[in-house]
Amino acid sequence: MSDKALSSPSIITLHFDVPEHYIPLSLFIVSAKSAKDIIDNFIKGFSVPDTEFEILVRAPEQGGLIELLEIAVKYGAPLWAIFMSDPGKAFVKELTGHKPTYWARKLGKKIRKLSEVDMNQVCKMLLALMVIGFLQKDTIDLSYLEEICPSKERFRAACTARDRLFEACIRNKEVQGLGFDASHDFLIKRSKFKSYIVKKLTAKERETTEEEKNWKVDTVDLKVHSPNWKKEHKRPWQGSTSKIKNVSFYIEDENFWEKVKNKDIAPDFIDKMRVQCAYIEGVAKPKNVRVLRVLSYNYTLISKPLSFSELLTKLSDFTVVERDQNDLLS
């Protein structure tokens, strides 16, 4: 790994090759959360005690779009001790090209006289370098990393976070490459994004992934023609909107089902629902629509809609249908 990372030692630089100086908010949030999850799983994978960190978003720079994520670490001493263990040294060297002591000396720190502040500074730099190194590794190299990581479960969770970043780049067609510094030397070209996804997909999963490019989130009114009051049954509900006569949907709102259990829902001959729902973008007729929240049932308020961050956690990536769009359901 190049020493130029030392110019901003605690910064994770994600440089998106896009024609304009912007990316969708969903990609920005997915990429930042992926970086955070990778670090979190690295730390937990080594069972580091009493270490807290957070990701800070720095002011953006020009040139494609550069996302700067700064790491803040509290209580770096336990983390430094892990980095200096034999497994820690091996893991750091595999991701950054050098052992922790090399990077500490690059910052001008004397190993035997590291203060708590020094340890925090070195650990911030190491975590940033490790994330960048982890994102750059091809899938073959990652198989070796898994062998030297103490927790296979945490390592795979980190790989899942990495997959989310590359999947988000694939869904955003304007992203032509991904780099890790301010230069225009984008290390990973768009044609290589799929090869960086760790998860091995079955043929059916690959087909689904190609089809389900993005979720669309909408708020619509539904008339219920065929309800299913038994939550555990897999049969979908059937209803209609002002545009579509037959819509099949599943209700995922736990608050709604709790009210059904307590008999707080009053069914009618034809029930009316206002729901926050998600369906796959680009299909002629949505099927198996996910009702995320039942906002009202026969005009009785049930649940509040999910916030943007809650939607992101549930769906990973999505677009929200605006009222002036020609959406399918409303």
Side-chain angles (χ1 to χ4, degrees), residues 192-302:
K192 298 292 185 181
F193 284 162
K194 286 186 179 180
S195 68
Y196 277 78
I197 294 177
V198 178
K199 180 185 177 185
K200 299 297 185 288
L201 303 179
T202 64
K204 184 176 181 180
E205 285 176 324
R206 280 195 297 272
E207 180 181 340
T208 302
T209 301
E210 288 300 314
E211 177 190 3
E212 298 184 0
K213 294 180 180 178
N214 194 14
W215 289 101
K216 296 198 83 169
V217 175
D218 201 357
T219 300
V220 300
D221 294 309
L222 284 166
K223 290 183 179 180
V224 179
H225 305 307
S226 177
N228 176 15
W229 295 108
K230 294 184 178 181
K231 179 184 175 184
E232 66 276 9
H233 285 195
K234 295 183 177 180
R235 181 177 67 82
W237 290 52
Q238 299 291 331
S240 63
T241 73
S242 60
K243 288 190 175 182
I244 300 179
K245 290 184 178 180
N246 295 299
V247 178
S248 61
F249 58 95
Y250 295 89
I251 298 177
E252 302 179 12
D253 186 349
E254 293 298 330
N255 186 45
F256 170 82
W257 288 113
E258 186 65 24
K259 289 184 180 296
V260 170
K261 180 181 177 181
N262 295 334
K263 298 183 179 179
D264 293 332
I265 299 289
D268 202 345
F269 179 67
I270 296 182
D271 294 328
K272 297 178 177 63
M273 306 170 63
R274 187 163 181 81
V275 303
Q276 182 187 43
C277 62
Y279 55 93
I280 300 303
E281 183 179 33
V283 296
K285 178 182 176 183
K287 58 183 179 179
N288 297 331
V289 174
R290 297 171 61 182
V291 170
L292 308 174
R293 286 290 185 268
V294 178
L295 307 183
S296 65
Y297 200 92
N298 289 335
Y299 308 107
T300 298
L301 298 179
I302 305 295

Side-chain angles (χ1 to χ4, degrees), residues 26-218:
S26 57
L27 174 56
F28 183 91
I29 295 176
V30 167
S31 57
K33 188 174 186 302
S34 295
K36 182 180 183 300
D37 289 347
I38 289 169
I39 295 173
D40 187 50
N41 283 292
F42 281 173
I43 291 175
K44 290 178 179 176
F46 278 90
S47 302
V48 181
D50 302 323
T51 298
E52 298 178 21
F53 79 95
E54 61 180 335
I55 298 290
L56 309 175
V57 179
R58 292 286 297 270
E61 297 180 1
Q62 295 294 310
L65 186 133
I66 300 178
E67 182 175 346
L68 302 177
L69 305 174
E70 183 174 4
I71 301 172
V73 173
K74 295 180 180 179
Y75 316 119
L79 186 56
W80 174 250
I82 293 296
F83 285 154
M84 290 300 289
S85 68
D86 288 340
K89 288 177 183 176
F91 201 69
V92 171
K93 184 176 181 181
E94 184 63 25
L95 284 173
T96 70
H98 298 282
K99 293 180 179 180
T101 51
Y102 169 88
W103 294 109
R105 287 194 295 268
K106 283 289 182 180
L107 286 180
K109 305 301 179 184
K110 296 181 179 180
I111 306 303
R112 294 182 181 180
K113 297 182 180 180
L114 285 178
S115 66
E116 178 71 26
V117 173
D118 292 337
M119 289 179 184
N120 284 1
Q121 186 178 0
V122 176
C123 286
K124 288 192 299 182
M125 177 191 62
L126 287 176
L127 288 172
L129 293 173
M130 289 166 68
V131 171
I132 293 171
F134 184 68
L135 292 174
Q136 292 177 355
K137 289 285 185 184
D138 61 34
T139 53
I140 296 176
D141 289 339
L142 286 180
S143 61
Y144 172 71
L145 262 178
E146 183 177 3
E147 292 301 316
I148 63 176
C149 185
S151 171
K152 304 296 184 288
E153 181 181 358
R154 287 293 177 182
F155 182 82
R156 289 169 191 146
C159 289
T160 299
R162 174 180 131 139
D163 284 355
R164 285 201 304 268
L165 171 58
F166 285 109
E167 287 165 355
C169 288
I170 290 171
R171 284 192 293 271
N172 288 271
K173 295 182 179 180
E174 289 193 341
V175 180
Q176 297 303 310
L178 180 63
F180 303 96
D181 55 41
S183 74
H184 286 267
D185 181 19
F186 296 98
L187 182 66
I188 304 175
K189 304 298 184 184
R190 181 174 185 82
S191 60
K192 298 292 185 181
F193 284 162
K194 286 186 179 180
S195 68
Y196 277 78
I197 294 177
V198 178
K199 180 185 177 185
K200 299 297 185 288
L201 303 179
T202 64
K204 184 176 181 180
E205 285 176 324
R206 280 195 297 272
E207 180 181 340
T208 302
T209 301
E210 288 300 314
E211 177 190 3
E212 298 184 0
K213 294 180 180 178
N214 194 14
W215 289 101
K216 296 198 83 169
V217 175
D218 201 357

